[in-house]
Amino acid sequence: RRNLQSRCSPKSSARAQIAALSRLIVFAARAASCLSVRPAKPEDIRQVSRIVSTSFQGQPSWRDGPIILAQWKWRCFQNEALMTTRLASLAEREACFVGIRTDDGEERVVGWVDVRLVCFDEGDRTVHTSIPYAAALRPSDFRMRPYVSNLAVEECSRRQGVATALVRASEQHALRAGFDELMLEVLESNFEALELYKSLGYSLEQCDGCALHMQRREFWYESVLVPKLRLVKVFTASTSPA
């Protein structure tokens, strides 16, 4: 009885919690130590396309039915084609980065971010990616702004600093490219992403638009318009990336 009481005592419980927390801290430190960010390469695209598809549409299985599975595979194929084209046609001040986890000397892609230049309409405050260089023709109406697109991290590597490292790399790139800000847009319902960006110094900017999102139904994906938010970080002496 004494042994049982000693095992269940508050002191032993506290010691167990402290030991578990210590192991978690050690694991997080090791995970951070083998994480790096580098420019994306063509050979990364296949892994990246699956990460992006899974991040935004989930990971279906054969139990979900043939329609959802076919739509998801088609989406992966589309992402791979679009990203291959994107990587081959980067403008001078644009970049794509991947987060790399190194385990036993083996590199594995765990995240992706695309930093592109967009044309911002000062009148209706909308972003145009299809006419990015209109700012050079009509500088009084448009201006070029660096824009974070498709930030994605594989599920098993989330909450380990990957997204933060990718955002920091994007900020450093924007600063080197001569910009004093970085802009991004996120779904209004993506609370985790909003908390991350706000913790990194991003603030809300006026945005009345919606984003096209692949919403999962019971047996298929459906394209729907959902509200989005725009966030901006202006680089100052105290907020510039390290």
Side-chain angles (χ1 to χ4, degrees):
R1 182 177 297 177
R2 289 179 181 175
N3 290 338
L4 181 61
Q5 288 177 348
S6 64
R7 289 177 185 174
C8 299
S9 67
K11 288 184 178 179
S12 62
S13 177
R15 283 195 296 269
Q17 291 178 358
I18 292 173
L21 181 59
S22 300
R23 289 194 295 270
L24 182 61
I25 292 173
V26 170
F27 172 79
R30 288 177 178 174
S33 65
C34 60
L35 173 67
S36 60
V37 175
R38 62 163 171 77
K41 302 176 182 178
E43 53 265 34
D44 301 325
I45 295 300
R46 178 153 296 185
Q47 295 179 69
V48 167
S49 68
R50 293 186 67 86
I51 291 172
V52 171
S53 299
T54 303
S55 295
F56 293 103
Q57 279 86 46
Q59 174 68 71
S61 69
W62 62 271
R63 295 184 182 87
D64 297 303
I67 297 178
I68 281 184
L69 194 57
Q71 284 183 302
W72 186 83
K73 288 185 176 181
W74 174 247
R75 190 66 175 175
C76 286
F77 174 78
Q78 285 182 314
N79 283 337
E80 187 172 341
L82 289 171
M83 290 173 182
T84 299
T85 302
R86 171 72 183 142
L87 207 57
S89 58
L90 288 175
E92 183 180 355
R93 294 191 288 175
E94 296 181 324
C96 295
F97 297 103
V98 288
I100 299 294
R101 182 82 71 201
T102 305
D103 298 313
D104 298 327
E106 292 290 330
E107 285 191 351
R108 181 167 59 91
V109 177
V110 296
W112 156 276
V113 68
D114 182 353
V115 187
R116 60 177 63 204
L117 296 181
V118 297
C119 188
F120 186 73
D121 190 328
E122 296 285 4
D124 59 15
R125 304 194 65 79
T126 55
V127 172
H128 301 281
T129 58
S130 58
I131 51 171
Y133 297 105
L137 303 176
R138 294 169 55 188
S140 60
D141 299 323
F142 299 97
R143 67 185 171 106
M144 300 299 296
R145 301 181 74 178
Y147 179 88
V148 166
S149 174
N150 286 335
L151 175 63
V153 177
E154 69 171 5
E155 187 172 3
C156 64
S157 296
R158 292 173 188 169
R159 298 186 178 277
Q160 297 178 24
V162 180
T164 298
L166 290 169
V167 172
R168 293 300 190 199
S170 302
E171 293 173 354
Q172 291 169 2
H173 173 78
L175 200 59
R176 288 194 300 267
F179 295 99
D180 62 356
E181 65 172 359
L182 186 61
M183 176 177 61
L184 56 89
E185 292 176 331
V186 63
L187 297 184
E188 194 175 72
S189 58
N190 194 343
F191 301 112
E192 288 188 11
L194 285 170
E195 288 300 319
L196 169 67
Y197 295 134
K198 287 181 179 179
S199 72
L200 294 175
Y202 288 78
S203 56
L204 291 173
E205 185 178 88
Q206 179 185 349
C207 176
D208 300 324
C210 291
L212 191 63
H213 179 64
M214 292 287 287
Q215 187 77 41
R216 179 166 173 169
R217 304 304 184 190
E218 186 174 2
F219 299 113
W220 65 87
Y221 288 107
E222 180 182 3
S223 296
V224 296
L225 288 173
V226 294
K228 66 180 179 181
L229 298 173
R230 182 178 299 140
L231 294 97
V232 177
K233 181 175 180 177
V234 178
F235 306 138
T236 62
S238 59
T239 63
S240 294

